[in-house]
Amino acid sequence: MTRRSLLGLTALPALAADETVSARVQRLQLKHTWTTVMSSSTYRDVLYTTIRRNGLTGRGEGAGIVRYGESAESGVAFVNRIAPELARMDLRHFGKVIDWVLAQSPADWAAKAAVDIAIHDWVAQRRGIPVHALWGLDPQDAPLTTFSIGIDKAEVIRQKVREAEAYPVLKVKVGLANDEEVIEAVRSVTRKPLRVDANEGWKDKDEAVRKINWLEKMGVEFIEQPMPAHMLDEQRYVRQRVHIPIIADEACLRPADIPRLATAFDGVNIKIDKAGGLLQGYRMIQIARSLGLKTMLGCMISSSIAITAAAQLSPLVDYADLDGNLLIGNDPVQGIRVVQGRLTLPAGNGLGLR
Ligand code: MG
């Protein structure tokens, strides 16, 4: 072994001036104060990444989830740590590069997602195709997307439902003490299909059964994560006593989680920020489908970079809940559009962002 290779100097070719990987925090302002079982806020900080090479810029975004110890700042630190080596990697082998990114930390999933999205955007631009064409998907297969109505007072909920007139399917958050009031407020102004997310709100299995049996009568299409993520036995008990599909969300983070969920749930909600990127999301969709589970793509509150990225996978799934960009007032880019509730992918190369 030569002295140069001992020092690690031989393997790395000189960088061209424009070959960079960068990360920063972006503050997104919310149109409405956002309340779920977990938190309440008026803004959301996310991580933005860029990969610049050969005159092209790939962009990515990730929303770190506090529950898993992630923040926009911790995401910046992760990207800065891997950036020097990543900037030298051959992106023609992007699947190998993304697996390398995934192996660089036991956590940092949203930051890995932001890097993975920027890589997909760059690679597809370089090939002169949209990201969904990397997987051979038909953008005409993109599903309807829901519009989410946050927990609030009945009068505010009715106003939010009226503002969502353009969306044919609504998603409503429940799981607090006023569930009946929330659903009745929505039903007092619309007969549209409703999808309901309890965000682990019911801790007792018989309470969950009672609530879901009531929701069935209120025209609810499916229920997301009624009980805490770890309560899989109770979840199986609930599933045997209700008549609408139950979709895992908090219980489903990454590909390895899915097989054990197959007997407790009817489907899984896949989020790119939790999965660690589009490659991981693609793997999760394929595992879920192979187990006979319904598939759904969800999102965090994000700008159109992350939502457009997730939407590139949406032709593969049964349900989409990709409205995070509609909830913010300072979206810096245009990408995915919703036309009569249907996701409409932009025509441009890469993510197609403008
Ligand atoms: Mg959910």
Side-chain angles (χ1 to χ4, degrees):
M1 186 177 280
T2 66
R3 181 173 155 76
R4 278 176 66 80
S5 67
L6 266 177
L7 293 170
L9 297 174
T10 49
L12 303 176
L15 282 180
D18 74 335
E19 294 187 9
T20 61
V21 176
S22 66
R24 67 181 173 84
V25 176
Q26 169 81 22
R27 178 155 294 184
L28 305 175
Q29 302 294 339
L30 303 182
K31 289 179 186 168
H32 290 283
T33 300
W34 185 251
T35 306
T36 70
V37 170
M38 286 170 259
S39 63
S40 178
S41 60
T42 58
Y43 67 85
R44 175 81 209 220
D45 285 342
V46 297
L47 167 68
Y48 270 15
T49 55
T50 57
I51 291 180
R52 291 194 180 82
R53 198 178 286 199
N54 301 101
L56 297 172
T57 300
R59 282 190 278 189
E61 176 179 4
I65 301 173
V66 177
R67 171 179 181 157
Y68 308 120
E70 297 180 26
S71 66
E73 289 79 11
S74 69
V76 170
F78 172 78
V79 178
N80 286 341
R81 179 161 69 75
I82 66 167
E85 198 165 347
L86 178 59
R88 291 174 166 87
M89 289 183 156
D90 186 345
L91 294 181
R92 283 177 303 178
H93 312 135
F94 67 95
K96 177 178 169 180
V97 173
I98 291 167
D99 274 333
W100 175 84
V101 172
L102 291 168
Q104 295 313 300
S105 143
D108 299 296
W109 300 101
K112 290 168 182 172
V115 172
D116 160 289
I117 291 168
I119 290 171
H120 278 91
D121 186 24
W122 188 92
V123 168
Q125 287 183 59
R126 181 75 170 159
R127 292 196 187 172
I129 56 174
V131 169
H132 61 77
L134 292 170
W135 308 302
L137 303 183
D138 181 352
Q140 304 288 338
D141 293 338
L144 295 173
T145 186
T146 46
F147 185 83
S148 293
I149 307 292
I151 293 170
D152 218 315
K153 294 189 284 289
E155 188 45 51
V156 180
I157 289 173
R158 281 194 284 271
Q159 183 56 34
K160 287 179 177 176
V161 171
R162 289 188 202 103
E163 288 172 18
E165 199 185 340
Y167 298 89
V169 187
L170 299 179
K171 174 168 162 176
V172 181
K173 300 272 189 182
V174 296
L176 297 180
N178 65 340
D179 292 342
E180 278 90 350
E181 186 194 349
V182 169
I183 297 294
E184 278 162 9
V186 173
R187 275 291 174 241
S188 72
V189 285
T190 183
R191 304 307 302 165
K192 285 175 187 173
L194 293 183
R195 296 172 183 173
V196 168
D197 189 354
N199 286 119
E200 312 178 283
W202 301 317
K203 317 296 179 204
D204 177 88
K205 60 184 195 259
D206 290 307
E207 182 193 14
V209 170
R210 234 175 12 254
K211 296 271 193 181
I212 297 169
N213 287 157
W214 180 76
L215 290 169
E216 288 163 359
K217 297 189 196 107
M218 300 300 284
V220 169
E221 195 180 359
F222 65 71
I223 174 92
E224 215 178 298
Q225 197 72 50
M227 303 198 70
H230 67 276
M231 296 175 74
L232 273 191
D233 290 338
E234 291 85 347
Q235 172 53 45
R236 273 185 207 97
Y237 172 96
V238 172
R239 188 189 181 203
Q240 287 159 9
R241 288 160 180 80
V242 303
H243 309 93
I244 52 174
I246 306 182
I247 310 291
D249 182 358
E250 284 81 355
C252 178
L253 306 178
R254 283 172 287 282
D257 296 323
I258 296 179
R260 70 189 163 82
L261 301 176
T263 58
F265 292 91
D266 302 286
V268 290
N269 185 357
I270 293 159
K271 292 180 179 163
I272 300 308
D273 308 78
K274 295 193 297 187
L278 296 171
L279 178 60
Q280 289 273 91
Y282 183 87
R283 288 171 175 158
M284 291 176 78
I285 293 168
Q286 300 300 358
I287 291 168
R289 284 164 56 135
S290 73
L291 293 168
L293 292 166
K294 295 279 189 193
T295 53
M296 171 175 176
L297 272 169
C299 65
M300 306 303 295
I301 292 171
S302 300
S303 70
S304 287
I305 299 174
I307 303 300
T308 305
Q312 302 284 338
L313 281 169
S314 71
L316 283 172
V317 300
D318 299 296
Y319 312 114
D321 177 26
L322 296 177
D323 65 349
N325 57 330
L326 305 174
L327 305 174
I328 66 170
N330 61 334
D331 197 341
V333 296
Q334 277 186 302
I336 188 75
R337 287 183 310 129
V338 180
V339 180
Q340 289 167 333
R342 195 163 294 283
L343 291 169
T344 306
L345 288 158
N349 296 332
L351 294 175
L353 301 172
R354 283 179 293 126

